[in-house]
Amino acid sequence: MVPGLRPFPRSRRPAIDTSALQAFGITLRAASLEDLPELSGLYAQLRMPELLFHPWSQAEKRAFAEEQFRLQHHHFVRHCPRADFWLVLRDDAPIGRLYLDRSTSEWRIVDILLAAAWRGRGLGARLITWVQQSAAAAGASGVGLTVAVDNRRAHGLYARLGFHDAGAGDGLHQPMRWDAASAASA
């Protein structure tokens, strides 16, 4: 269990048509406090490979990943109170999360994470393409996100989907942007 975490804010934004995702067996559901243990486990899957050669015990590694999840969760719910916090489901089983802020004219993918078993299978690309299509249909100017500078695989995926580097970043994260207008004219 992941005690002491604030609940997810509830989006006040209109629902988005998810039928394009449902064709691939993907559904989105608003995340709740009850989902935090599952989401913490997904986050731990992401972080454990980088801790593989750390001299910590497995218990220390799990505690570190859980604390990092707590900090990240607190940051997201505090700084993105108008975002949609969705659990990504495949055939009704949780396989990831998608946090999307649609509160401004430029939508922002706050976070996207898929379970290790589902990475590299095209689902992330489908989710991002769905966000782009939904943003364009809603009249958004584009979609922004940040990617860790050492995550070349994700950077390459975003570039293939039409995102471009947008500014210098902070040395750890590279901002990227997809422009709806230039995509519509292409």
Side-chain angles (χ1 to χ4, degrees):
M1 186 63 179
V2 187
L5 290 178
R6 293 178 4 172
F8 291 99
R10 288 291 163 224
S11 174
R12 293 178 181 89
R13 313 292 309 165
I16 304 176
D17 179 13
T18 60
S19 58
L21 294 174
Q22 292 168 2
F24 298 101
I26 299 171
T27 55
L28 301 177
R29 170 174 68 69
S32 68
L33 280 174
E34 292 77 30
D35 296 317
L36 288 173
E38 183 76 34
L39 291 168
S40 180
L42 286 169
Y43 180 80
Q45 281 183 19
L46 175 72
R47 296 300 301 267
M48 284 304 169
E50 72 188 69
L51 301 175
L52 187 62
F53 296 108
H54 254 275
W56 298 342
S57 69
Q58 281 302 104
E60 289 171 317
K61 291 175 184 179
R62 279 192 304 275
F64 173 80
E66 187 172 298
E67 182 60 20
Q68 291 294 298
F69 174 78
R70 286 177 196 273
L71 292 169
Q72 186 185 66
H73 175 80
H74 177 73
H75 175 80
F76 288 157
V77 299
R78 183 170 181 227
H79 293 283
C80 306
R82 296 170 59 189
D84 297 297
F85 294 91
W86 289 312
L87 197 64
V88 177
L89 306 167
R90 173 79 187 222
D91 300 322
D92 296 323
I95 63 165
R97 69 183 185 191
L98 173 61
Y99 299 167
L100 178 66
D101 188 345
R102 301 181 287 140
S103 64
T104 65
S105 64
E106 178 179 297
W107 291 11
R108 185 167 73 92
I109 297 174
V110 176
D111 192 62
I112 185 170
L113 172 64
L114 292 173
W118 291 96
R119 292 183 205 138
R121 297 170 84 175
L123 295 179
R126 291 192 204 298
L127 285 165
I128 295 163
T129 300
W130 171 78
V131 168
Q132 291 169 304
Q133 292 168 346
S134 298
S141 63
V143 178
L145 56 81
T146 59
V147 61
V149 295
D150 62 349
N151 193 344
R152 303 310 308 160
R153 187 172 172 186
H155 189 275
L157 169 65
Y158 301 140
R160 283 190 305 280
L161 295 175
F163 286 82
H164 56 59
D165 290 347
D170 61 9
L172 296 175
H173 296 92
Q174 174 62 52
M176 298 185 79
R177 185 171 198 290
W178 171 80
D179 298 302
S182 57
S185 64

